[in-house]
Amino acid sequence: MGCVTICISDELEIAFRRLVRLKYGEKQGKISRGATEAIFDWCQRERIKLLDEDQLFDDER
């Protein structure tokens, strides 16, 4: 399992922790679960954008 260390603003950290607590409760590992979900969703969105851009670029050639 990988480990990623990031620095985010205090405001974003507070908001993230509150939302994770609302969604997952007080379970152990909730921060990791929320972060994994957020990173996965971001990767999915970016992959779709990049694929769309590649398809558009290939059409213009």
Side-chain angles (χ1 to χ4, degrees), residues 23 27 51 53:
K23 184 169 183 175
K27 299 175 187 170
L51 289 175
E53 287 175 10

Side-chain angles (χ1 to χ4, degrees), residues 20-27 30:
V20 166
R21 191 178 325 112
L22 287 171
K23 184 169 183 175
Y24 298 118
E26 297 296 328
K27 299 175 187 170
K30 66 182 187 269

